[in-house]
Amino acid sequence: MPAVESRAALTGLRIPALLAAVLVAGLAVLPVSATRSATTDRAAIFYYPWYSNPAKDGRWAHWYVEHDGAPVLSTPYYPTRGLYSSSNAKLVDAHMREIASAGVGTIVFSWWGFDSPEHERLAMVEQAATRLGLKIAIHVEPYGGRTPARAAEDIQRLQRERGFTDFYLYDAARDAAALWNEALSSLSGVRTFGHTTLVGRAKASGFDGLYTYDVVTWSGALFKRLCTQAHAAGLLCAPSVGPGYDARLTTRQHAVRPRNDGKTYDRMWRTALRAGADIVTITSYNEWQEGTQIEPARVAAGRPDYDGAWGKSGVAGQRSYLTATAAWTERLRAQPR
């Protein structure tokens, strides 16, 4: 399967990424405290296992895009750990510890089919997550040849072989609701969440719930209506919150949602809790190309860190979105189901 170098490329918003570059990335991983707060399965975070670099994988993937024939770093920020490889087991362990310490109980793993590099990394991520008591859900991406029938077959196989029970179906609107309903009707023992803001469509598709993912179009103002309608229809509501959005380096798209030193993140969390969300989905832990990540960032390559967010600076600033997430998951845990 050809490498998919960004999510928005699927809808024509992004140019293909270059798989080679002249820069060398560091693989250093900062120590993460083994101490973690209690987690909640009502908080789930989108996780991307798709990064590669020459040192570990023999090539670049997802860190660079091509602009006018030249490689350009695709992220508006820069990871504290450098341009890492998702094949690095120690790094994945550190990621899982960070997520657990932020109180998030479910990893929503970006999955691109059984023949994809992401699937090859699934077992490693699952093992690291399981050691910390975290649950794995699958983000069923629009991989080549995905149809509702094919997706249902893959869901059934993942459930049978790996025991996964929660599945998030990205870009569900690309296929007719009737086709989804027919395909999913044969499944049992799983929960499916459709990526849509149309409750009627989610119900007609046979989904058990819905999520929004997009944090540039949807600010959170629709969450109350969405969850009220979803609950009235007997569906689970899992709206998505995020710190901001900036994919200008990767796409021709100019839409930006600024972080506003943490205010954007706080506002989306607040509206999700007020809406009575069953699950709060977080976009994202590490989608660096779209600038939605909460993974620590540092000043490098002309990119900023999160200095100033919630008045923090230095290492505290780099980790400020993890700290804020821990505070919000604590509030979510305290809410009655």
Side-chain angles (χ1 to χ4, degrees):
M1 183 186 79
V4 178
E5 292 300 331
S6 68
R7 173 175 305 283
L10 297 165
T11 54
L13 294 176
R14 291 191 174 180
I15 60 176
L18 192 68
L19 297 183
V22 295
L23 301 179
V24 176
L27 291 173
V29 178
L30 293 183
V32 179
S33 171
T35 303
R36 62 185 176 95
S37 60
T39 60
T40 174
D41 60 0
R42 296 179 66 191
I45 193 162
F46 296 106
Y47 180 79
Y48 292 88
W50 60 9
Y51 297 104
S52 297
N53 64 33
K56 185 70 174 177
D57 310 289
R59 67 184 187 104
W60 291 107
H62 292 280
W63 288 121
Y64 288 93
V65 292
E66 183 179 324
H67 283 189
D68 300 323
V72 175
L73 188 61
S74 63
T75 169
Y77 294 89
Y78 194 89
T80 295
R81 298 177 171 95
L83 304 185
Y84 55 75
S85 165
S86 296
S87 298
N88 186 325
K90 290 183 178 179
L91 176 131
V92 170
D93 285 342
H95 282 176
M96 297 302 110
R97 291 198 302 271
E98 279 188 347
I99 290 169
S101 72
V104 178
T106 300
I107 309 296
V108 187
F109 181 97
S110 178
W111 188 80
W112 294 87
F114 284 101
D115 59 348
S116 67
E118 291 77 21
H119 181 74
E120 293 177 2
R121 294 162 172 169
L122 176 56
M124 178 177 61
V125 174
E126 182 186 10
Q127 290 168 9
T130 300
R131 283 194 291 269
L132 294 167
L134 304 180
K135 177 182 177 180
I136 294 286
I138 300 296
H139 204 188
V140 183
E141 305 279 11
Y143 49 85
R146 191 194 82 175
T147 63
R150 169 82 176 276
E153 291 174 2
D154 289 346
I155 288 171
Q156 192 169 50
R157 179 177 168 185
L158 286 164
Q159 179 202 26
R160 182 178 65 251
E161 295 181 358
R162 310 299 288 267
F164 301 132
T165 58
D166 280 5
F167 296 86
Y168 291 77
L169 292 151
Y170 185 77
D171 200 14
R174 65 188 288 174
D175 296 295
L179 293 177
W180 281 115
N181 196 308
E182 180 182 3
L184 299 177
S185 63
S186 62
L187 299 179
S188 63
V190 301
R191 298 192 301 182
T192 56
F193 295 82
H195 170 220
T196 180
T197 59
L198 301 176
V199 173
R201 181 181 178 85
K203 184 71 173 178
S205 298
F207 299 133
D208 299 293
L210 50 80
Y211 69 108
T212 54
Y213 190 85
D214 181 356
V215 295
V216 64
T217 305
W218 311 114
S219 66
L222 90 159
F223 289 171
K224 180 65 175 177
R225 173 187 63 78
L226 189 69
C227 287
T228 299
Q229 291 180 354
H231 293 154
L235 299 177
L236 295 166
C237 186
S240 305
V241 304
Y245 178 94
D246 185 351
R248 289 174 295 179
L249 287 170
T250 316
T251 72
R252 305 300 181 184
Q253 182 183 15
H254 295 289
V256 173
R257 185 170 296 282
R259 292 185 174 233
N260 292 326
D261 291 334
K263 293 183 179 66
T264 297
Y265 198 46
D266 283 347
R267 186 180 304 113
M268 294 199 79
W269 264 101
R270 192 176 298 112
T271 55
L273 266 58
R274 288 175 178 171
D278 300 293
I279 299 170
V280 176
T281 51
I282 303 168
T283 307
S284 63
Y285 177 74
N286 63 337
E287 219 297 15
W288 287 90
Q289 290 182 316
E290 293 183 350
T292 63
Q293 79 289 335
I294 65 169
E295 184 181 4
R298 62 181 170 91
V299 175
R303 271 64 173 169
D305 58 7
Y306 310 139
D307 200 61
W310 294 279
K312 300 180 185 296
S313 59
V315 173
Q318 293 176 22
R319 299 179 59 83
S320 59
Y321 283 91
L322 294 170
T323 303
T325 302
W328 281 112
T329 56
E330 180 67 28
R331 292 180 61 174
L332 177 62
R333 226 175 11 254
Q335 277 195 339
R337 289 182 181 267

